[in-house]
Amino acid sequence: MGSESKFLFRKNYAKYEFFKNPVNFFPEQMVAWGQQSNGCIPQSQLLQNFLNSSSCPEIQGFLHVKELGRKSWKKLYVCLRRSGLYCSTKGTSKEPRHLQLLADLEDSNIFSLIAGKKMYSAPTDYGFCIKFCGGPPVQKILGNRFEKEKLLWAFAK
C-alpha cells in the first residue's frame, strides 16, 4: 500500500437488503448449519433461528488471500467461525488440526476494495480487506470470484 492509498466512503444501500431477505446472503453451499440441519427444518427457518440467537452459522468457501508484504495471491479454503477466520491446511478439511487461524476478527473492520485488480494485482475486482483496530493499516486482503460472494463474507463478519 503506497502513499497514493486512501479511503473512499460511499453509501451502500445493499446493507438494508440483508434485513429484508437474509436467505439471499447465506447460500446453502456456503453455510454449515451444524447439528441443527437434519433436513426437516427449512433453510429459511434455520437462518432465522441463528439470527435470533447468540450462535452463528459457519461460512465456508474458497477465497483468494494476500498477506501484507507478499506479492502473490493464494487460493485457500476458508471457514468463518465465531472465534475467527480460519484457513484449511489440508484441502477442504474442517477438522481442528487442519485449521489455521487466518485472522481474529474481534476488533477489526471490513473494507471493500475499489480497483483491486489494478492496485493489488488481485485475481478479480471483488475483494475486501481486514483492518485491525490499533494494528497495522491492513493485515489481509481477500478476493472473491463474484460480488455476491464478497457481500456474503462481508455481512457474515
Side-chain angles (χ1 to χ4, degrees), residues 48-104:
Q48 199 61 42
N49 292 346
F50 276 111
L51 291 175
N52 292 332
S53 71
S54 61
S55 62
C56 62
E58 182 177 291
I59 308 298
Q60 59 200 13
F62 287 96
L63 286 177
H64 296 278
V65 180
K66 181 179 180 186
E67 295 186 33
L68 190 65
R70 302 239 174 164
K71 293 188 179 194
S72 62
W73 289 79
K74 288 185 197 175
K75 185 176 180 181
L76 299 174
Y77 186 74
V78 178
C79 297
L80 177 64
R81 296 181 170 178
R82 183 173 288 285
S83 57
L85 186 65
Y86 295 87
C87 67
S88 178
T89 58
K90 191 166 186 177
T92 59
S93 173
K94 293 189 295 180
E95 290 185 38
R97 63 187 173 133
H98 296 143
L99 292 179
Q100 178 182 355
L101 183 65
L102 194 61
D104 181 8

